Amino acid sequence: MSKILEIFNTMEYGPAPEAPDAVKAWLDEHGRKFGLFINNEWVTPKGAKFYPSYNPANGELLAETTQAGQKEVDAAVGASREAFKTWSKTPGVVRARYLYAIARNLQKHSRLLAVLESMDNGKPIRESRDIDVPLLARHFYYYAGWAQLMETELRDYQSVGVVGQIIPWNFPLLMLAWKIAPAIAMGNTVVLKPASYTRLTALLFAEIVAEAGLPAGVVNVITGSSSAGSMIVEHPDVDKIAFTGSTDVGRTLRKQTAGSGKKLSLELGGKSPFVVFDDADLDGAVEGVVDAIWFNQGQVCCAGSRLIVQENVAAKFIQKLKNRMQHMRVGDPLDKSIDMGAIVDQSQWDTIDGWVKTGIAEGGECFQPNIALPEKGLFYKPTLITGLDPAASTVQEEIFGPVLVSLTFRTPSEAIELANNTRYGLAASVWSDNINLALDVASKIKAGSVWVNCTNQFDGASGFGGYRESGYGREGGREGLFEYLRPTWMDRPRPEFVLDEKKKWGEHVPTLPTQPGVARANGHSLPLVDRTPKMYIGGKQVRPDGAYTSSVLSAKGKLVGQVGDGNRKDIRDAVEAAHKARTSGWAMRHGYNRSQILYFIAENLDARNAEFVKRIVEMTGRTQKSAQAEVDASVERLFTYAAWADKYGGTVQETTLRGITVAVNEPMGVIGIACPDENPLLGFISLMAPAIARGNSVVMIPSQKYPLSAMDFYQVLDTSDVPGGVVNIVTGDRDHLVKTLVQHEDVDSVWYFGSAEGSYHVENESAANMKRTWTGYGLLRDWMSREQGEGHEFLHEATQVKNIWVPTGE
């Protein structure tokens, strides 16, 4: 009896090792050396350089893989391009069969995949076996369905082309599934580069895919260092880049792809909050913390690494957590009874240890349980640091290891403020037995995934991705498809421009008075009463800060009006007004209210129809009929987005969760919009209307050449119940003003429909804080066309998806 009681008290488990024999046999079959998987064949370049892959749990050499060079990258991209010619035209039902076959084949080899993942990565076998590999198959099953449905449900879209995909080392198989499955389902072809530390499961996956019969060239896998990744990113025949990894590398990729016309999706770092209210099931929340931060040794981008506990239960909760940490087991990843495995590499171990020492130096109290670690291998104890200031670097920066920092709060509003006190926005977890409170807090935390009374929930049917410096784009779910599609009318943008290195982009000398001979003629004995529009900021007409004016000339070179020549201060004032409008409740207004305001705008614009027609004719020299068509289309477009204002709120995702997963289309926030010169009124409205319909506030830069229609339009706004600051209008040199917008930390997205060179600079500058951008690359768009000038593309750019997971049951 005493022996049984002792077992229950100590909760000591004997080892339950998983056999590595099958993995070793597979490695031996390849001679422990792997080439590159190109066109469904193993390719080993002449004179290839190999580099080793070690088991982080014991330092054992597993295999050597090839370092790809430019020639091999060219071969992989070439194979992918050739395969795209037929794969993109393969009927959806056929592509679905292939994805289904891949999913079945993955299940048949699931044990081999799981064991190899744990040996190569260091994660516990129970995580590889019970989470990673099942989700791998789930994604291919899920996207097999979308391949089947593409021709009916996504008939307005086409494949993007050749997709370069770069994945990290923390979830090699899961990240592979997130990227490859939707890409090939939509008819794209893939060149994938796994992380330098973890290459082996991607190579095994390639064999399994070939065994399933996937046509040659659809999926190619190359290995190598970051230089191989850069070759993929910069390859001119790659149409899209999908990347998961650190925010710093994401910045580099944004700069490398700037102005190229390549689509880019980035799933980057995080510092996710784990919020515990005093009414939560504290024991359940403790187990949630274990899953949130010590899952995969904390090497998780969405790890709940910031514990935020209500002050009146903080001491009790921390003590419960410390007691739980004392019973955690760290050891051999192939032992089915352990909680944590090995850190992936010595350099990562050193980084983690360095952050712990930093946390102590910053005044934190470090707790590590008194548990045994294996004598050999890269193991690190679960770590808790308390007593830090919210601004401490250990609290603010991503550690990417088993290190938890703890803070306290008193009120829900303070909890939300602490949760959002980060440059990241990938995920969050909220724990409370009050579902009203939990859902309210979840709606206010800025993160792409929010788990209520649970954590680290994933499913093929639900999108995953970040806000702010956690990146943009979504992987998983229906929303993840749009990263691998473009509208059927749109060719791959291939902008052509030459950077002028001598001229700093955005430089602008204020304009001077017009020369004699272009003055405005009126044909009357008395001159016309001067009517020079001001800026429109915060719902008020304001003079330009610099007190400069620019002239607007007609197609024949005659002066037809003047507008303010805006500067950096005007943009800053406009952004401040837009931010104030956003935080004062525009985004929280019901879509019905926003729709009524848009209908009112349309009504008041139509009441002044003739005036706007005359202005367009006067500025552009176009015919009366053409100008009339533009004004009528502008009214219709306002009606379109009034209709969408309460119909694009989101969906309930069909996940495997016992409960509900709600995808909410949240507004981006403050959007800076630079309008095209073509169709000066319609282009302005086509961009403004979807943005404000979905709850954003905007800073509009009208057509630089023909700004007067937009300046007349603010009088329409004044009479249409539009709250001050929702729409702000600043005139002047487009690139000069956009440069300030894209560099502004309080602007969440920039839409730019100017030159190809300007598009490059907007994308390049956006890397500073990973601002989302939408650029036209200097290519003309038919704004009169409903296909090109309105619809889902615009609504997609105006929103970001938040998935809120709510389990049900006792």
Short mmCIF file of all heavy atoms in Angstrom, two decimals, residues 297-340:
data_model
loop_
_atom_site.label_atom_id
_atom_site.label_comp_id
_atom_site.label_asym_id
_atom_site.label_seq_id
_atom_site.Cartn_x
_atom_site.Cartn_y
_atom_site.Cartn_z
N GLN A 297 8.81 23.18 -25.96
CA GLN A 297 9.90 23.89 -25.26
C GLN A 297 9.78 25.41 -25.39
O GLN A 297 10.79 26.12 -25.30
CB GLN A 297 11.29 23.44 -25.74
CG GLN A 297 11.61 21.99 -25.53
CD GLN A 297 10.89 21.09 -26.50
OE1 GLN A 297 9.97 20.38 -26.12
NE2 GLN A 297 11.30 21.10 -27.76
N GLY A 298 8.57 25.91 -25.61
CA GLY A 298 8.38 27.34 -25.75
C GLY A 298 8.84 27.89 -27.08
O GLY A 298 8.79 29.10 -27.32
N GLN A 299 9.27 27.01 -27.97
CA GLN A 299 9.74 27.44 -29.30
C GLN A 299 8.54 27.52 -30.24
O GLN A 299 8.43 26.79 -31.21
CB GLN A 299 10.80 26.46 -29.81
CG GLN A 299 12.02 26.41 -28.91
CD GLN A 299 12.95 25.24 -29.24
OE1 GLN A 299 14.16 25.39 -29.28
NE2 GLN A 299 12.39 24.07 -29.46
N VAL A 300 7.64 28.43 -29.90
CA VAL A 300 6.37 28.58 -30.61
C VAL A 300 6.13 30.06 -30.81
O VAL A 300 6.19 30.84 -29.85
CB VAL A 300 5.20 27.96 -29.80
CG1 VAL A 300 3.91 28.02 -30.59
CG2 VAL A 300 5.52 26.52 -29.41
N CYS A 301 5.85 30.47 -32.04
CA CYS A 301 5.66 31.90 -32.31
C CYS A 301 4.49 32.48 -31.54
O CYS A 301 4.49 33.65 -31.17
CB CYS A 301 5.50 32.15 -33.80
SG CYS A 301 4.23 31.13 -34.57
N CYS A 302 3.45 31.65 -31.28
CA CYS A 302 2.27 32.14 -30.57
C CYS A 302 2.27 31.71 -29.11
O CYS A 302 1.22 31.73 -28.45
CB CYS A 302 1.00 31.66 -31.26
SG CYS A 302 0.89 29.86 -31.42
N ALA A 303 3.43 31.32 -28.58
CA ALA A 303 3.51 30.87 -27.18
C ALA A 303 2.97 31.93 -26.24
O ALA A 303 3.23 33.13 -26.40
CB ALA A 303 4.96 30.55 -26.82
N GLY A 304 2.21 31.49 -25.23
CA GLY A 304 1.68 32.43 -24.24
C GLY A 304 2.77 32.82 -23.26
O GLY A 304 2.80 32.38 -22.10
N SER A 305 3.68 33.66 -23.71
CA SER A 305 4.90 33.95 -22.95
C SER A 305 4.76 35.11 -21.97
O SER A 305 5.67 35.37 -21.20
CB SER A 305 6.06 34.24 -23.92
OG SER A 305 5.68 35.24 -24.85
N ARG A 306 3.61 35.80 -22.00
CA ARG A 306 3.35 36.88 -21.02
C ARG A 306 2.12 36.50 -20.21
O ARG A 306 0.99 36.57 -20.72
CB ARG A 306 3.12 38.22 -21.72
CG ARG A 306 4.37 38.85 -22.32
CD ARG A 306 4.08 40.24 -22.85
NE ARG A 306 3.10 40.22 -23.91
CZ ARG A 306 2.13 41.12 -24.06
NH1 ARG A 306 2.00 42.11 -23.20
NH2 ARG A 306 1.27 41.02 -25.06
N LEU A 307 2.32 36.10 -18.98
CA LEU A 307 1.23 35.76 -18.08
C LEU A 307 0.74 37.04 -17.40
O LEU A 307 1.52 37.72 -16.73
CB LEU A 307 1.72 34.74 -17.04
CG LEU A 307 0.75 34.36 -15.92
CD1 LEU A 307 -0.51 33.71 -16.48
CD2 LEU A 307 1.44 33.44 -14.92
N ILE A 308 -0.54 37.34 -17.57
CA ILE A 308 -1.12 38.56 -17.00
C ILE A 308 -2.28 38.14 -16.10
O ILE A 308 -3.33 37.71 -16.57
CB ILE A 308 -1.61 39.50 -18.14
CG1 ILE A 308 -0.44 39.82 -19.09
CG2 ILE A 308 -2.19 40.78 -17.57
CD1 ILE A 308 -0.86 40.59 -20.32
N VAL A 309 -2.07 38.21 -14.78
CA VAL A 309 -3.02 37.65 -13.80
C VAL A 309 -3.64 38.76 -12.96
O VAL A 309 -2.94 39.70 -12.56
CB VAL A 309 -2.30 36.66 -12.86
CG1 VAL A 309 -3.30 35.91 -12.00
CG2 VAL A 309 -1.45 35.69 -13.64
N GLN A 310 -4.95 38.62 -12.68
CA GLN A 310 -5.61 39.61 -11.84
C GLN A 310 -4.97 39.63 -10.45
O GLN A 310 -4.69 38.58 -9.86
CB GLN A 310 -7.11 39.33 -11.75
CG GLN A 310 -7.91 40.53 -11.29
CD GLN A 310 -9.32 40.54 -11.86
OE1 GLN A 310 -9.82 39.55 -12.37
NE2 GLN A 310 -9.98 41.69 -11.78
N GLU A 311 -4.75 40.83 -9.96
CA GLU A 311 -3.90 41.03 -8.78
C GLU A 311 -4.37 40.26 -7.55
O GLU A 311 -3.56 39.69 -6.81
CB GLU A 311 -3.85 42.53 -8.46
CG GLU A 311 -2.83 42.92 -7.43
CD GLU A 311 -2.79 44.43 -7.24
OE1 GLU A 311 -3.57 44.93 -6.42
OE2 GLU A 311 -1.99 45.09 -7.94
N ASN A 312 -5.69 40.17 -7.34
CA ASN A 312 -6.18 39.57 -6.10
C ASN A 312 -6.04 38.04 -6.06
O ASN A 312 -6.20 37.43 -5.00
CB ASN A 312 -7.64 39.95 -5.84
CG ASN A 312 -8.55 39.58 -7.00
OD1 ASN A 312 -8.19 39.76 -8.16
ND2 ASN A 312 -9.73 39.07 -6.70
N VAL A 313 -5.71 37.41 -7.21
CA VAL A 313 -5.47 35.96 -7.19
C VAL A 313 -4.06 35.63 -7.69
O VAL A 313 -3.71 34.46 -7.85
CB VAL A 313 -6.51 35.20 -8.06
CG1 VAL A 313 -7.90 35.34 -7.47
CG2 VAL A 313 -6.46 35.66 -9.51
N ALA A 314 -3.25 36.66 -7.91
CA ALA A 314 -1.94 36.44 -8.53
C ALA A 314 -1.04 35.56 -7.66
O ALA A 314 -0.41 34.61 -8.15
CB ALA A 314 -1.26 37.78 -8.81
N ALA A 315 -0.97 35.86 -6.37
CA ALA A 315 -0.07 35.09 -5.50
C ALA A 315 -0.49 33.62 -5.45
O ALA A 315 0.36 32.71 -5.53
CB ALA A 315 -0.08 35.69 -4.09
N LYS A 316 -1.79 33.40 -5.34
CA LYS A 316 -2.31 32.03 -5.29
C LYS A 316 -2.02 31.30 -6.61
O LYS A 316 -1.60 30.14 -6.62
CB LYS A 316 -3.81 32.07 -5.02
CG LYS A 316 -4.48 30.71 -4.94
CD LYS A 316 -5.97 30.87 -4.64
CE LYS A 316 -6.67 29.52 -4.56
NZ LYS A 316 -8.13 29.68 -4.31
N PHE A 317 -2.24 32.01 -7.70
CA PHE A 317 -2.03 31.40 -9.01
C PHE A 317 -0.56 31.07 -9.25
O PHE A 317 -0.23 29.98 -9.73
CB PHE A 317 -2.55 32.33 -10.12
CG PHE A 317 -2.53 31.70 -11.48
CD1 PHE A 317 -3.56 30.89 -11.91
CD2 PHE A 317 -1.47 31.90 -12.35
CE1 PHE A 317 -3.56 30.30 -13.15
CE2 PHE A 317 -1.43 31.32 -13.61
CZ PHE A 317 -2.49 30.51 -14.00
N ILE A 318 0.31 31.99 -8.91
CA ILE A 318 1.75 31.77 -9.11
C ILE A 318 2.22 30.58 -8.28
O ILE A 318 3.05 29.77 -8.75
CB ILE A 318 2.55 33.05 -8.78
CG1 ILE A 318 2.24 34.17 -9.78
CG2 ILE A 318 4.04 32.75 -8.77
CD1 ILE A 318 2.63 33.85 -11.21
N GLN A 319 1.71 30.45 -7.08
CA GLN A 319 2.12 29.31 -6.25
C GLN A 319 1.64 27.99 -6.85
O GLN A 319 2.38 26.99 -6.88
CB GLN A 319 1.56 29.47 -4.83
CG GLN A 319 2.11 28.42 -3.85
CD GLN A 319 3.63 28.42 -3.78
OE1 GLN A 319 4.26 29.46 -3.57
NE2 GLN A 319 4.24 27.25 -4.00
N LYS A 320 0.41 27.97 -7.35
CA LYS A 320 -0.08 26.77 -8.02
C LYS A 320 0.79 26.43 -9.24
O LYS A 320 1.10 25.26 -9.50
CB LYS A 320 -1.53 26.98 -8.48
CG LYS A 320 -2.57 26.88 -7.39
CD LYS A 320 -3.96 27.16 -7.95
CE LYS A 320 -5.03 26.94 -6.88
NZ LYS A 320 -5.27 25.49 -6.63
N LEU A 321 1.18 27.48 -9.96
CA LEU A 321 2.00 27.27 -11.16
C LEU A 321 3.38 26.72 -10.79
O LEU A 321 3.88 25.79 -11.44
CB LEU A 321 2.14 28.59 -11.92
CG LEU A 321 2.92 28.54 -13.23
CD1 LEU A 321 2.30 27.54 -14.21
CD2 LEU A 321 3.00 29.93 -13.87
N LYS A 322 3.97 27.25 -9.74
CA LYS A 322 5.28 26.76 -9.32
C LYS A 322 5.19 25.29 -8.87
O LYS A 322 6.09 24.49 -9.16
CB LYS A 322 5.83 27.63 -8.18
CG LYS A 322 6.29 29.01 -8.63
CD LYS A 322 6.81 29.83 -7.46
CE LYS A 322 7.32 31.19 -7.92
NZ LYS A 322 7.80 32.01 -6.78
N ASN A 323 4.11 24.97 -8.18
CA ASN A 323 3.93 23.57 -7.76
C ASN A 323 3.83 22.66 -8.98
O ASN A 323 4.39 21.55 -9.00
CB ASN A 323 2.68 23.43 -6.90
CG ASN A 323 2.82 24.09 -5.53
OD1 ASN A 323 3.94 24.35 -5.08
ND2 ASN A 323 1.71 24.38 -4.88
N ARG A 324 3.12 23.13 -9.99
CA ARG A 324 2.98 22.32 -11.21
C ARG A 324 4.32 22.18 -11.92
O ARG A 324 4.64 21.10 -12.46
CB ARG A 324 1.96 22.98 -12.15
CG ARG A 324 1.77 22.29 -13.49
CD ARG A 324 1.17 20.89 -13.30
NE ARG A 324 0.92 20.26 -14.59
CZ ARG A 324 1.82 19.57 -15.30
NH1 ARG A 324 3.06 19.43 -14.82
NH2 ARG A 324 1.50 19.02 -16.45
N MET A 325 5.11 23.23 -11.94
CA MET A 325 6.42 23.18 -12.60
C MET A 325 7.34 22.17 -11.94
O MET A 325 8.17 21.55 -12.60
CB MET A 325 7.06 24.57 -12.59
CG MET A 325 6.33 25.60 -13.47
SD MET A 325 6.92 27.30 -13.19
CE MET A 325 8.57 27.21 -13.89
N GLN A 326 7.17 21.97 -10.63
CA GLN A 326 8.02 21.02 -9.91
C GLN A 326 7.77 19.58 -10.36
O GLN A 326 8.59 18.69 -10.11
CB GLN A 326 7.75 21.11 -8.40
CG GLN A 326 8.17 22.43 -7.77
CD GLN A 326 9.68 22.52 -7.55
OE1 GLN A 326 10.46 21.75 -8.09
NE2 GLN A 326 10.09 23.51 -6.75
N HIS A 327 6.62 19.34 -11.02
CA HIS A 327 6.29 17.99 -11.45
C HIS A 327 6.45 17.80 -12.96
O HIS A 327 6.03 16.77 -13.50
CB HIS A 327 4.84 17.66 -11.05
CG HIS A 327 4.65 17.52 -9.57
ND1 HIS A 327 4.34 18.60 -8.77
CD2 HIS A 327 4.76 16.46 -8.74
CE1 HIS A 327 4.24 18.20 -7.52
NE2 HIS A 327 4.49 16.90 -7.47
N MET A 328 7.07 18.77 -13.61
CA MET A 328 7.28 18.62 -15.05
C MET A 328 8.52 17.75 -15.31
O MET A 328 9.47 17.75 -14.52
CB MET A 328 7.45 19.99 -15.72
CG MET A 328 6.16 20.80 -15.72
SD MET A 328 6.32 22.37 -16.61
CE MET A 328 6.54 21.78 -18.30
N ARG A 329 8.46 17.02 -16.42
CA ARG A 329 9.57 16.14 -16.77
C ARG A 329 10.21 16.63 -18.06
O ARG A 329 9.52 16.90 -19.06
CB ARG A 329 9.08 14.71 -16.97
CG ARG A 329 8.53 14.07 -15.71
CD ARG A 329 8.23 12.60 -15.94
NE ARG A 329 9.46 11.85 -16.18
CZ ARG A 329 9.48 10.60 -16.65
NH1 ARG A 329 8.37 9.98 -16.94
NH2 ARG A 329 10.64 9.98 -16.85
N VAL A 330 11.51 16.80 -18.02
CA VAL A 330 12.29 17.21 -19.19
C VAL A 330 13.24 16.08 -19.53
O VAL A 330 13.99 15.61 -18.66
CB VAL A 330 13.08 18.50 -18.91
CG1 VAL A 330 13.88 18.91 -20.14
CG2 VAL A 330 12.15 19.62 -18.47
N GLY A 331 13.18 15.61 -20.78
CA GLY A 331 14.04 14.49 -21.11
C GLY A 331 13.99 14.09 -22.57
O GLY A 331 13.62 14.89 -23.43
N ASP A 332 14.36 12.84 -22.83
CA ASP A 332 14.47 12.30 -24.18
C ASP A 332 13.17 12.52 -24.96
O ASP A 332 12.11 12.07 -24.54
CB ASP A 332 14.76 10.79 -24.07
CG ASP A 332 14.90 10.13 -25.44
OD1 ASP A 332 14.85 10.84 -26.46
OD2 ASP A 332 15.04 8.89 -25.46
N PRO A 333 13.22 13.22 -26.10
CA PRO A 333 12.01 13.48 -26.87
C PRO A 333 11.27 12.21 -27.28
O PRO A 333 10.05 12.26 -27.51
CB PRO A 333 12.54 14.23 -28.10
CG PRO A 333 13.81 14.85 -27.64
CD PRO A 333 14.40 13.89 -26.67
N LEU A 334 11.95 11.08 -27.38
CA LEU A 334 11.29 9.84 -27.77
C LEU A 334 10.66 9.10 -26.58
O LEU A 334 10.08 8.04 -26.76
CB LEU A 334 12.27 8.92 -28.49
CG LEU A 334 12.75 9.41 -29.87
CD1 LEU A 334 13.59 8.34 -30.53
CD2 LEU A 334 11.59 9.81 -30.76
N ASP A 335 10.75 9.70 -25.41
CA ASP A 335 10.08 9.15 -24.24
C ASP A 335 8.66 9.71 -24.21
O ASP A 335 8.46 10.92 -24.08
CB ASP A 335 10.85 9.54 -22.97
CG ASP A 335 10.26 8.94 -21.70
OD1 ASP A 335 9.10 8.46 -21.73
OD2 ASP A 335 10.96 8.96 -20.67
N LYS A 336 7.67 8.83 -24.28
CA LYS A 336 6.28 9.27 -24.37
C LYS A 336 5.74 9.84 -23.06
O LYS A 336 4.61 10.32 -23.01
CB LYS A 336 5.40 8.09 -24.84
CG LYS A 336 5.69 7.66 -26.27
CD LYS A 336 4.71 6.61 -26.76
CE LYS A 336 5.07 5.22 -26.29
NZ LYS A 336 6.23 4.66 -27.02
N SER A 337 6.54 9.83 -22.01
CA SER A 337 6.08 10.32 -20.70
C SER A 337 6.64 11.70 -20.34
O SER A 337 6.37 12.19 -19.24
CB SER A 337 6.48 9.31 -19.60
OG SER A 337 5.82 8.09 -19.80
N ILE A 338 7.42 12.30 -21.20
CA ILE A 338 8.02 13.59 -20.82
C ILE A 338 7.15 14.76 -21.25
O ILE A 338 6.31 14.65 -22.14
CB ILE A 338 9.46 13.72 -21.38
CG1 ILE A 338 9.47 13.62 -22.91
CG2 ILE A 338 10.37 12.69 -20.78
CD1 ILE A 338 9.73 14.89 -23.59
N ASP A 339 7.37 15.91 -20.59
CA ASP A 339 6.63 17.13 -20.91
C ASP A 339 7.38 18.02 -21.90
O ASP A 339 6.78 18.69 -22.73
CB ASP A 339 6.38 17.95 -19.63
CG ASP A 339 5.51 17.21 -18.65
OD1 ASP A 339 4.34 16.95 -18.98
OD2 ASP A 339 5.99 16.90 -17.54
N MET A 340 8.70 18.06 -21.76
CA MET A 340 9.51 18.91 -22.61
C MET A 340 10.70 18.14 -23.14
O MET A 340 11.32 17.35 -22.41
CB MET A 340 10.02 20.15 -21.83
CG MET A 340 9.00 21.24 -21.65
SD MET A 340 9.60 22.56 -20.55
CE MET A 340 11.21 22.92 -21.23
#
